[in-house]
Amino acid sequence: MNLTMTTTGLVSRLFFILLISFCAVYLLFSTLPFSGNTQKGGIACVSYTRALEGTSILEQENRRHEKIVALAREALEKKQQKYYAMPEPLSRELREIDNITNNNLLRAEQSHERRISLQVISDAVEKYRVENHYSVVFNKDIAEHVPAGRDISEEIINHLQRIKVEYGELPTFDERALPHSH
């Protein structure tokens, strides 16, 4: 009985030491920085901000938005020319309402453009992730804690340099888009 207790105690201590050793080795390797690793696969991170600003995507988005602002101004000026025959308090109130509506439409269109730009970046990241066998790619601009991983921002930027973004047709800012049409 004494030999059984000694053997059982020895086995349980040995198991405990092996368990602690395994945990220590796991923690050591899971927390090591990933810097300098050029192997494909595993975890990666990308900066969407760098991808947006480091490519022609932001420039394309801005050029389109300038066209939309010009269209909106032109439509607003046409609309407001009709107010000159109205009494001043009413025409002023209608101009203010039209300005607010026009600004809301512009903000909505700018938000739509940004969603399309970010979707183009997301598609490029996903394609790169699949082709290079990464299990996950974190957006390091929004992730609170990015696990150690390879930064693929430059590769994504290089890929996006030749992308032309299709934002669709330009919106119309005709009288149906602005309230108080007569």
Side-chain angles (χ1 to χ4, degrees):
M1 181 139 176
N2 193 11
L3 182 60
T4 310
M5 286 176 55
T6 306
T7 307
T8 306
L10 184 63
V11 169
S12 63
R13 284 189 204 136
L14 184 60
F15 176 76
F16 182 73
I17 291 171
L18 285 173
L19 181 64
I20 295 296
S21 299
F22 175 78
C23 290
V25 169
Y26 175 77
L27 287 174
L28 177 68
F29 284 109
S30 67
T31 59
L32 284 177
F34 200 83
S35 62
N37 191 344
T38 58
Q39 290 183 347
K40 304 288 184 189
I43 297 175
C45 59
V46 64
S47 170
Y48 276 56
T49 302
R50 277 185 56 207
L52 185 65
E53 294 172 353
T55 63
S56 66
I57 293 176
L58 186 59
E59 183 182 323
Q60 292 176 56
E61 185 181 305
N62 288 337
R63 276 195 311 261
R64 177 184 165 84
H65 193 68
E66 287 172 8
K67 290 177 187 176
I68 291 170
V69 168
L71 287 172
R73 275 196 194 118
E74 182 181 319
L76 187 62
E77 288 171 6
K78 283 182 185 178
K79 174 80 172 128
Q80 290 182 352
Q81 285 176 358
K82 296 179 181 181
Y83 299 152
Y84 288 116
M86 295 181 179
E88 178 57 32
L90 179 60
S91 67
R92 183 178 45 240
E93 184 177 327
L94 290 175
R95 278 190 201 98
E96 286 178 24
I97 290 170
D98 286 346
N99 284 332
I100 291 169
T101 302
N102 198 38
N103 287 337
N104 287 340
L105 290 170
L106 284 172
R107 272 196 289 282
E109 188 59 35
Q110 189 172 30
S111 176
H112 173 71
E113 293 163 355
R114 181 55 52 95
R115 276 192 305 273
I116 291 171
S117 296
L118 292 176
Q119 185 61 51
V120 167
I121 295 170
S122 292
D123 291 346
V125 169
E126 178 62 11
K127 181 180 178 191
Y128 188 88
R129 182 193 73 76
V130 169
E131 288 174 354
N132 292 281
H133 311 290
Y134 285 101
S135 55
V136 66
V137 177
F138 288 94
N139 179 350
K140 66 184 199 177
D141 297 332
I142 61 172
E144 196 169 301
H145 172 71
V146 178
R150 183 169 179 270
D151 188 347
I152 60 169
S153 298
E154 282 305 314
E155 289 88 342
I156 299 301
I157 289 170
N158 290 337
H159 173 73
L160 291 171
Q161 291 297 355
R162 31 185 205 278
I163 296 290
K164 180 174 181 338
V165 180
E166 293 296 327
Y167 292 102
E169 293 184 25
L170 290 172
T172 57
F173 290 89
D174 57 9
E175 291 191 13
R176 292 173 300 210
L178 298 174
H180 311 295
S181 300
H182 297 290

